[in-house]
Amino acid sequence: MKIGCPREIKPQEFRVGLTPDAVRELAARGHSVSVETGAGADAGFADEDYTAAGATIAADAVEVFAAELIVKVKEPQPAERALLRKGQVLFAYLHLAPDPDQTRDLLASGVTAIAYETVTDARGGLPLLAPMSEVAGRLAPQVGAWTLQKANGGRGVLLGGVPGVRPARVLIIGGGVVGTAAARVAVGMGANVTVLDRSVPRLSHLDDVFMGKLTTQYSSAGAIADLLPAADLVIGAVLIPGAAAPRLVSRAQLSTMLPGAAMVDVAIDQGGCFETSRPTTHQDPIYEVDGIMHYCVANMPGAVARTSTQALGNATLPFVLALADKGWREAAEADPHLRAGLAVHAGTLTSPPVGEALGIEAVRPEDVLA
């Protein structure tokens, strides 16, 4: 199969869809891999690394998008969507629920698109989202601490405090992969941490893991309202697979918060879980609303591109190999977890949660295969 890996063009996106190691695996199975020149440079992989692994270097995206299977990181941008065609397979993060323009373009192109973020595993997890959630979660307290600095408009509070001065109060909404990773780093930095979640078993697990080093509480609108006024940093870490994120903090509630408090919305890829969230970039990451500082970078793991690319590549490679070896249909028929990632096929939306969010008729992936 002919496989293409383009250079990411979303602002400040430094990751790349395939590592040289992945190219080597694909080439060893007889597949042809085309990598756009400079695609891996920001992640520390030179064109020479790819040619040594067996890839050919393409001069531009047009050449790369001639391939049968396109493997990339972020959702295709408008210029990239114009290059997609019927019969082609796209494998990437899509996050369609908050993005009607992309959804319409993918449907119009006739492409078969498989979303990393909805591929599942035997434990009910999201194995292609998990490594980036882990990265974003670990980054959240770090960027939150930076946002809290007075020079950035924040309260001027040190996350861990110092002897004689209390540490910052960190409220994490969501105790999944992102929330747990964020809690681990925030506790390590010496902050006073509270995690909210709606799963009592999850809260019990966090209590056991952190051995009393943080506070857990059942998540409700009332709990959030009670805790917001004392929080120096709020981290939104809520995910509903494939669907738009629920709005858990309203604009009206910002007036109850401490002036200069920081909010980090890790759910911004799915529309954000704060009413006042809007996507930002690494170049211009923060903005202020009603005296509260917001950090809403939509591709947080891109800031640590080498680590993120390697972690993502480890997770995606088995699925890329299956798609290349068998073709998308046979691979999806054989693997229900890959099948769960099917979002669009030949003009049909195959993700009911996206359909519900955007008011578009959708069918199940199983219906398309049938």
Side-chain angles (χ1 to χ4, degrees), residues 25-70:
E25 295 260 2
L26 288 161
R29 295 179 182 231
H31 302 294
S32 171
V33 184
S34 176
V35 178
E36 186 175 355
T37 183
D42 289 329
F45 301 116
D47 287 352
E48 293 77 13
D49 296 327
Y50 287 103
T51 55
T56 59
I57 301 301
D60 54 32
V62 173
E63 187 176 341
V64 170
F65 274 81
E68 300 164 83
L69 169 62
I70 303 299

Side-chain angles (χ1 to χ4, degrees), residues 221-243:
I224 293 171
D226 287 344
L227 293 167
L228 280 176
D232 297 291
L233 170 61
V234 181
I235 296 173
V238 176
L239 172 72
I240 300 175

Side-chain angles (χ1 to χ4, degrees), residues 134-144 181-182 185 264 282 300-304 308:
E134 185 81 32
V135 171
R138 293 188 182 209
L139 280 172
Q142 180 176 314
V143 299
V185 172
V264 176
H282 293 291
M300 287 176 62
V304 286
S308 295

Side-chain angles (χ1 to χ4, degrees), residues 151-210:
N152 297 319
R155 282 175 50 72
V157 172
L158 183 65
L159 215 62
V162 293
V165 179
R166 72 162 181 84
R169 295 188 179 96
V170 177
L171 173 61
I172 301 173
I173 306 176
V177 176
V178 171
T180 300
R184 183 176 294 114
V185 172
V187 167
M189 295 174 76
N192 182 324
V193 178
T194 298
V195 179
L196 300 181
D197 200 273
R198 285 184 173 273
S199 167
V200 174
R202 188 66 189 172
L203 295 175
S204 178
H205 171 75
L206 291 171
D207 271 338
D208 290 343
V209 168
F210 287 94

Side-chain angles (χ1 to χ4, degrees), residues 56-367:
T56 59
I57 301 301
D60 54 32
V62 173
E63 187 176 341
V64 170
F65 274 81
E68 300 164 83
L69 169 62
I70 303 299
V71 181
K72 63 192 309 294
V73 180
K74 292 303 290 180
E75 69 279 358
Q77 302 301 292
E80 295 173 315
R81 301 200 291 267
L83 299 174
L84 295 170
R85 65 184 189 277
K86 187 175 182 178
Q88 194 173 47
V89 179
L90 170 67
F91 195 35
Y93 288 118
L94 299 179
H95 300 293
L96 296 178
D99 195 344
D101 290 342
Q102 182 197 177
T103 304
R104 282 192 292 266
D105 287 349
L106 293 183
L107 290 170
S109 73
V111 73
T112 296
I114 301 173
Y116 288 166
E117 69 272 13
T118 53
V119 172
T120 59
D121 62 23
R123 299 182 303 248
L126 302 170
L128 306 190
L129 189 61
M132 297 303 93
S133 296
E134 185 81 32
V135 171
R138 293 188 182 209
L139 280 172
Q142 180 176 314
V143 299
W146 178 79
T147 304
L148 277 172
Q149 293 178 23
K150 194 64 180 178
N152 297 319
R155 282 175 50 72
V157 172
L158 183 65
L159 215 62
V162 293
V165 179
R166 72 162 181 84
R169 295 188 179 96
V170 177
L171 173 61
I172 301 173
I173 306 176
V177 176
V178 171
T180 300
R184 183 176 294 114
V185 172
V187 167
M189 295 174 76
N192 182 324
V193 178
T194 298
V195 179
L196 300 181
D197 200 273
R198 285 184 173 273
S199 167
V200 174
R202 188 66 189 172
L203 295 175
S204 178
H205 171 75
L206 291 171
D207 271 338
D208 290 343
V209 168
F210 287 94
M211 301 177 65
K213 294 179 181 177
L214 55 69
T215 300
T216 60
Q217 189 169 334
Y218 188 81
S219 184
S220 66
I224 293 171
D226 287 344
L227 293 167
L228 280 176
D232 297 291
L233 170 61
V234 181
I235 296 173
V238 176
L239 172 72
I240 300 175
R247 296 297 176 91
L248 301 177
V249 178
S250 69
R251 178 164 188 169
Q253 288 177 301
L254 300 189
S255 65
T256 70
M257 297 177 64
L258 297 166
M263 304 177 79
V264 176
D265 197 341
V266 186
I268 192 63
D269 268 341
Q270 293 295 116
C273 57
F274 309 138
E275 183 183 359
T276 45
S277 293
R278 58 174 173 79
T280 61
T281 67
H282 293 291
Q283 189 174 20
D284 188 17
I286 60 176
Y287 61 93
E288 176 265 333
V289 177
D290 297 343
I292 306 302
M293 306 309 298
H294 293 59
Y295 182 103
C296 301
V297 173
N299 59 330
M300 287 176 62
V304 286
R306 188 170 181 88
T307 296
S308 295
T309 293
Q310 290 173 319
L312 181 60
N314 292 341
T316 58
L317 181 57
F319 297 100
V320 173
L321 292 174
L323 289 167
D325 289 345
K326 301 176 181 179
W328 81 268
R329 182 174 290 274
E330 184 181 341
E333 287 174 342
D335 185 353
H337 303 300
L338 178 62
R339 186 163 67 241
L342 187 65
V344 171
H345 171 64
T348 298
L349 184 64
T350 56
S351 174
V354 173
E356 183 177 351
L358 299 181
I360 299 174
E361 184 178 353
V363 302
R364 300 177 307 146
E366 291 79 7
D367 297 330

